[in-house]
Amino acid sequence: MVNLHSITTAHVFPSIAVDNIGNIYITWTAVTNSGNDWNIWFAISTDGGSSFSSPKVLTTLNGCVYPAIAVDNNYVYVFYGDLSSYPAANYYFTRSIDYGLNFSSPIQINDAPCIDEINYSNLTTIAFDSAGIVHLAWVDGRRLNAKGDIFYAKSINNGQNFGINKMVNDSTQTASDSIQYYPSIAIGTTNKVLIGFIDYRLNKQSPRLYLATSSNGGNTFATETLFAAHSENTNYFDLAACSNGKVVAALTTSYQSDFGIWMFESINDGASFSSPIALSDTMNMLSKDVKIVMDEQQLIYTSWIDNRDSIWHVYFTKTSLGTSVLKHNSEIQARLFPNPSNASFNIDLAEKQEEIKLSITNMQGQLIFEKNYRNTNLIELDIPLRTCLLYTSDAADEEDSV
């Protein structure tokens, strides 16, 4: 584990991105000056996460939260909310054109002032498409008594400036002029832009997920619809897409009376979704903060936290489209020692594993060691290493879990 910040204070709302050559970019909010200053900080690793640059502060407004980061070749984009005039929320964007070495002065994205309170949760989302167009969505408070709408803007010149703001949710539907919040954006094919958000149009006890779709690159959005006709409460969700029309959504919700993490998938740019697949291997536990990503090989990685052990732990799973879950992470409590080490080290598995495979790769993804082990709770290794990633898997099914 690498500690990115030496200041003893709170660090919250992290966001991470990786570029096409393996550099890792992280941004977050640091709370300093006895809790009075909330600003966005940034750090980069050029060695696969072994070390990070000295953190640099990107903002000075002292109320900056929920940064979202994206990286497109040499461009690094950071989009965040500013609550320095709380309860008003404004939104700013900054970019680097040199892999994060320098950042531009922030520009304000919302083109009208916030005059109403909003639901302050997961305020921002960002994505870019294959043409380099930058897409932003956020929770906006410009309409009095609306309690939050979802707004959108895009840049066609790599974030140098942005077009006019567009309201995504349609307030003219019956009972739809209610609280909207928690946006997530995904970019499909053929100019498809999908924005999901949580909606309170029934009541605050019935949050549900709605999806608005643009077929013209974000110029206009069709009226939002209840996501996949799924009427159960949804408190947390995330969207992801790849370049061939595949869209996935991970939800904390109930299906057939089981509450947990469920994944819906689409093969037609979000026009329709399959029946959900259970990602949780233990149901009916408190679950939240779900995140999902998908690579161009259509492998899907999902993380979340739940309290199945009466304490919050992070869980992970991997799956592929059109199938059941390939592998759940049951959170094997592996411990590497001594740490750090560059030669001999041990892996304590805490409990005896009947069959387990150890795979070690370098930061380029090349396999440098692999071996199956049986009936052991301790793996002893003597391999000269620099930076590596550690994976374990059940040898019987050959499927990895981080």
Side-chain angles (χ1 to χ4, degrees):
M1 183 178 69
V2 179
N3 187 356
L4 299 183
H5 206 301
S6 61
I7 299 176
T8 304
T9 187
H11 305 277
V12 292
F13 313 133
S15 183
I16 188 170
V18 180
D19 68 16
N20 57 359
I21 59 174
N23 294 325
I24 302 170
Y25 305 81
I26 298 180
T27 184
W28 68 96
T29 293
V31 185
T32 57
N33 189 23
S34 301
N36 293 310
D37 297 344
W38 296 55
N39 281 300
I40 307 299
W41 291 70
F42 168 85
I44 179 175
S45 172
T46 59
D47 57 10
S50 292
S51 62
F52 280 81
S53 63
S54 297
K56 65 175 67 175
V57 63
L58 302 184
T59 65
T60 58
L61 295 174
N62 297 331
C64 300
V65 294
Y66 292 107
I69 189 170
V71 179
D72 184 10
N73 294 312
N74 56 298
Y75 292 98
V76 183
Y77 305 124
V78 179
F79 178 46
Y80 59 91
D82 166 36
L83 303 183
S84 58
S85 298
Y86 180 87
N90 294 301
Y91 294 90
Y92 289 85
F93 174 91
T94 181
R95 69 169 188 162
S96 169
I97 62 174
D98 54 11
Y99 295 96
L101 295 179
N102 301 281
F103 279 85
S104 63
S105 298
I107 58 175
Q108 187 166 345
I109 298 301
N110 57 304
D111 54 16
C114 175
I115 59 174
D116 199 14
E117 286 193 53
I118 59 175
N119 195 324
Y120 302 97
S121 178
N122 202 62
L123 296 177
T124 62
T125 181
I126 186 172
F128 60 88
D129 61 25
S130 59
I133 297 174
V134 184
H135 304 264
L136 308 177
W138 65 94
V139 185
D140 194 278
R142 71 184 64 190
R143 290 199 310 128
L144 186 63
N145 298 323
K147 302 302 182 185
D149 296 300
I150 306 302
F151 269 71
Y152 163 88
K154 70 177 180 180
S155 169
I156 60 174
N157 55 12
N158 300 108
Q160 186 172 344
N161 50 56
F162 284 79
I164 62 172
N165 298 176
K166 302 179 187 297
M167 184 169 158
V168 175
N169 54 291
D170 180 2
S171 62
T172 66
Q173 295 184 79
T174 302
S176 66
D177 198 6
S178 62
I179 296 173
Q180 281 88 25
Y181 71 106
Y182 210 99
S184 179
I185 192 169
I187 309 301
T189 62
T190 59
N191 292 317
K192 282 290 180 66
V193 180
L194 300 93
I195 298 179
F197 53 88
I198 305 297
D199 186 289
Y200 278 163
R201 68 186 60 184
L202 291 183
N203 54 62
K204 287 188 176 182
Q205 287 69 48
S206 302
R208 299 193 299 178
L209 175 59
Y210 280 77
L211 185 67
T213 301
S214 171
S215 297
N216 54 17
N219 292 330
T220 58
F221 284 85
T223 299
E224 71 268 15
T225 58
L226 185 64
F227 173 81
H230 183 68
S231 60
E232 297 291 338
N233 288 2
T234 300
N235 292 294
Y236 302 90
F237 82 101
D238 199 21
L239 295 175
C242 62
S243 61
N244 59 358
K246 314 295 185 182
V247 180
V248 291
L251 285 66
T252 59
T253 192
S254 293
Y255 182 72
Q256 296 180 343
S257 301
D258 284 328
F259 178 82
I261 307 298
W262 293 90
M263 186 189 76
F264 296 73
E265 62 185 16
S266 170
I267 60 173
N268 54 12
D269 272 327
S272 61
F273 284 84
S274 67
S275 297
I277 296 169
L279 298 182
S280 307
D281 55 358
T282 301
M283 289 293 180
N284 301 317
M285 301 291 161
L286 290 178
S287 304
K288 62 181 183 178
D289 297 341
V290 62
K291 296 294 181 182
I292 190 168
V293 295
M294 176 168 50
D295 62 26
E296 289 302 316
Q297 288 70 48
Q298 301 176 38
L299 285 176
I300 304 159
Y301 307 89
T302 310
S303 65
W304 68 91
I305 62 174
D306 70 40
N307 70 341
R308 69 185 65 184
D309 298 320
S310 299
I311 189 171
W312 294 103
H313 284 300
V314 177
Y315 290 86
F316 166 90
T317 194
K318 179 177 76 173
T319 185
S320 63
L321 285 166
T323 69
S324 60
V325 175
L326 296 175
K327 184 65 183 177
H328 286 288
N329 181 355
S330 56
E331 202 166 298
I332 295 174
Q333 300 295 322
R335 183 174 66 92
L336 179 68
F337 67 95
N339 189 12
S341 173
N342 60 5
S344 299
F345 59 91
N346 303 307
I347 302 173
D348 181 2
L349 301 173
E351 298 179 356
K352 181 177 286 188
Q353 306 294 320
E354 292 184 4
E355 290 184 275
I356 193 166
K357 177 190 288 184
L358 173 68
S359 300
I360 299 177
T361 69
N362 62 19
M363 297 311 300
Q364 287 71 48
Q366 299 167 324
L367 185 69
I368 60 175
F369 178 85
E370 187 171 68
K371 184 177 179 179
N372 292 329
Y373 295 86
R374 294 177 177 272
N375 299 317
T376 184
N377 63 346
L378 182 67
I379 297 175
E380 299 177 342
L381 290 172
D382 188 6
I383 304 174
L385 295 173
R386 292 183 69 189
T387 303
C388 67
L389 293 173
L390 178 64
Y391 294 85
T392 64
S393 70
D394 295 332
D397 63 17
E398 296 291 321
E399 297 300 344
D400 294 336
S401 63
V402 177

